[in-house]
Amino acid sequence: MPKCKIVLFIIFTLFLSSTAFSQYYNNSEKGNLGLGVQLSYPFYGVSAQLNFIDRIGIQGIFGLNSDIKSYSGKLSYNVIHNYNYNFYVYGVYGRYEYTDWAFTGFLLLEEITEKKNGYGFGFGVDTNYLSNKALVPVWANFEVGYGYVDFEYLNFDTPAITVGVGLHYYFDFSNSSNF
């Protein structure tokens, strides 16, 4: 029975601290770190966002799906900066790797790997709508952009309109002496 009370106390304490945190919190302020997932079709993966200057942030996305791996970085600037939402523009550059198997002769399979650089740019919106409802510092984003990766084997060498979504939990390091 005492263990149950301790667990309930910890949950209640976290609930209160995240409630106070989310009421006055903006993810685009200097020193905030977000960890989560990002999807920009057909690439997706785990993501870390850090705002090292007010309104300017960097994001690393590590997509380790089975066929297409991606390692990309995104630089974003918040054009409209608000406690409930942020409109931003971004540029992205990354290294993309496609792996497949192909027949090269009679019953011989060969692994084909293609590594290419790609780039893109676009605009999006972050919102803490989930924070207002769930009382935790979770931000969701939606973005539309233009991307280009020249995969020869996939015949994927034309520019594409990309649509992306993400979900990140933010930690506030803005009062730390490291920033």
Side-chain angles (χ1 to χ4, degrees):
M1 187 68 175
K3 288 182 182 179
C4 182
K5 288 181 181 181
I6 292 171
V7 170
L8 287 174
F9 176 75
I10 291 171
I11 291 171
F12 184 71
T13 304
L14 288 174
F15 175 77
L16 284 179
S17 65
S18 65
T19 301
F21 181 69
S22 64
Q23 287 176 347
Y24 303 105
Y25 179 74
N26 189 298
N27 71 331
S28 66
E29 292 176 350
K30 175 182 168 184
N32 292 327
L33 173 69
L35 300 175
V37 294
Q38 185 72 37
L39 164 77
S40 292
Y41 185 79
F43 310 108
Y44 62 89
V46 295
S47 168
Q49 293 181 329
L50 175 65
N51 293 303
F52 58 97
I53 301 173
D54 281 342
R55 294 184 180 243
I56 297 177
I58 56 173
Q59 180 180 10
I61 306 164
F62 307 99
L64 303 175
N65 111 25
S66 60
D67 293 336
I68 301 176
K69 294 177 177 58
S70 64
Y71 313 94
S72 58
K74 183 188 292 185
L75 180 67
S76 61
Y77 175 76
N78 290 307
V79 179
I80 299 175
H81 177 66
N82 190 312
Y83 281 97
N84 295 319
Y85 60 88
N86 296 310
F87 286 104
Y88 61 91
V89 294
Y90 70 89
V92 64
Y93 185 81
R95 182 76 169 165
Y96 303 90
E97 179 180 322
Y98 175 74
T99 303
D100 198 6
W101 293 89
F103 284 104
T104 58
F106 181 71
L107 297 178
L108 295 175
L109 280 176
E110 181 180 334
E111 185 179 34
I112 296 173
T113 300
E114 199 174 354
K115 298 178 183 179
K116 299 288 184 171
N117 293 331
Y119 62 89
F121 55 88
F123 62 93
V125 62
D126 277 327
T127 180
N128 69 348
Y129 178 76
L130 296 174
S131 294
N132 291 335
K133 300 298 179 193
L135 301 174
V136 294
V138 174
W139 284 64
N141 70 308
F142 175 77
E143 56 192 33
V144 176
Y146 165 90
Y148 182 79
V149 179
D150 185 15
F151 281 126
E152 295 170 16
Y153 186 75
L154 273 177
N155 200 12
F156 186 73
D157 61 353
T158 57
I161 300 297
T162 60
V163 176
V165 294
L167 194 62
H168 293 85
Y169 183 93
Y170 277 86
F171 300 92
D172 184 8
F173 296 113
S174 60
N175 295 327
S176 173
S177 62
N178 295 332
F179 291 95

